[in-house]
Amino acid sequence: EDQVTQSPEALRLQEGESSSLNCSYTVSGLRGLFWYRQDPGKGPEFLFTLYSAGEEKEKERLKATLTKKESFLHITAPKPEDSATYLCAVQGVTQGGSEKLVFGKGTKLTVNP
Amino acid sequence: DSGVTQTPKHLITATGQRVTLRCSPRSGDLSVYWYQQSLDQGLQFLIQYYNGEERAKGNILERFSAQQFPDLHSELNLSSLELGDSALYFCASSGGTAIYEQYFGPGTRLTVT
């Protein structure tokens, strides 16, 4: 069974203090690893897809990287508006070809001004 | 705005009742997914439809059912509601059967009293 574990559960940073969020996964065959941002009471907002180990993607202050067992979301010089819960999900190869996502429980990031 | 719409935004009902949640996918997307998000479980996959056909089932209770109509909108029916069914219900859509990102709607918050 595919599993995703995110750490830490919560992270408090000062504005400008860079850090990384971790996503460890086990999957029978990785089709893709996805990062989402979720604000309270809202739907997850797509950030990145990573397909193979060694791949990296960047968007503004965020950079996602992927190895065979984990992914990191690096946040450089964060701002208060980066405060949100960041979700990691995997899409594995399944019988029947379902594209379902298996999510971790998320890391709640708070950036203080 | 992801392009995925969900109605209603909020729903308050009593135990034992039945409700219907509605989702319209992004224009051109053939796959619709339903997820349930509760505080302790995180985002859990319920069911996927592709172009009107059921493609995969996750942890969906027998009291719950879904369908996708010819215009590709989808409905999730929840019956014999229990207090534990209170959660956020999200619909997501994607562009097909390959490795596509899933875009989430704003969700329906269901409260069962």
Side-chain angles (χ1 to χ4, degrees), chain A residues 11 14 17-19 25-27 31 40 42 49 55 58 61 68 72-73 78 82 85 97 99 103 105 112:
Chain A
L11 181 62
Q14 288 299 121
E17 179 187 1
S18 302
S19 188
Y25 65 91
T26 55
V27 65
R31 280 180 167 176
K42 304 246 175 119
T49 308
E55 191 174 0
E58 286 189 67
R61 295 177 292 283
K68 288 188 177 178
F72 293 93
L73 185 65
D82 294 321
T85 296
E99 290 79 41
F103 280 87
K105 294 195 175 181
N112 297 314

Side-chain angles (χ1 to χ4, degrees), chain A residues 31-32 34 36 38 41-44 46 49 51 87 91 96-101 103 105, chain B residues 33 35 37 40 43 45 48 55-56 90 96-106 109:
Chain A
R31 280 180 167 176
F34 302 81
Y36 287 84
Q38 187 175 27
K42 304 246 175 119
F46 171 76
T49 308
Y51 296 112
L87 299 169
Q91 187 179 79
S98 169
E99 290 79 41
K100 69 173 186 179
L101 294 178
F103 280 87
K105 294 195 175 181
Chain B
Y33 311 78
Y35 291 86
Q37 187 174 41
D40 56 341
L43 267 164
F45 169 72
Q48 177 193 356
R55 188 168 179 88
F90 290 106
T97 60
I99 307 172
Y100 286 109
E101 297 90 16
Q102 293 180 22
Y103 293 87
F104 282 75
R109 180 176 294 279

Side-chain angles (χ1 to χ4, degrees), chain A:
Chain A
E1 187 177 323
D2 300 345
Q3 286 192 323
V4 176
T5 303
Q6 291 187 247
S7 61
E9 289 184 17
L11 181 62
R12 282 187 176 274
L13 299 174
Q14 288 299 121
E15 185 171 2
E17 179 187 1
S18 302
S19 188
S20 295
L21 313 183
N22 177 263
C23 170
S24 297
Y25 65 91
T26 55
V27 65
S28 53
L30 182 69
R31 280 180 167 176
L33 184 139
F34 302 81
W35 283 98
Y36 287 84
R37 170 194 169 124
Q38 187 175 27
D39 293 302
K42 304 246 175 119
E45 175 191 344
F46 171 76
L47 294 174
F48 303 109
T49 308
L50 301 167
Y51 296 112
S52 57
E55 191 174 0
E56 299 182 352
K57 288 196 176 169
E58 286 189 67
K59 179 180 178 180
E60 297 180 354
R61 295 177 292 283
L62 300 177
K63 178 179 173 181
T65 62
L66 181 65
T67 73
K68 288 188 177 178
K69 292 185 179 180
E70 55 192 352
S71 176
F72 293 93
L73 185 65
H74 308 277
I75 303 177
T76 302
K79 298 182 177 181
E81 53 262 42
D82 294 321
S83 298
T85 296
Y86 290 85
L87 299 169
C88 173
V90 294
Q91 187 179 79
V93 175
T94 61
Q95 282 189 329
S98 169
E99 290 79 41
K100 69 173 186 179
L101 294 178
V102 175
F103 280 87
K105 294 195 175 181
T107 293
K108 183 176 180 180
L109 174 66
T110 304
V111 182
N112 297 314

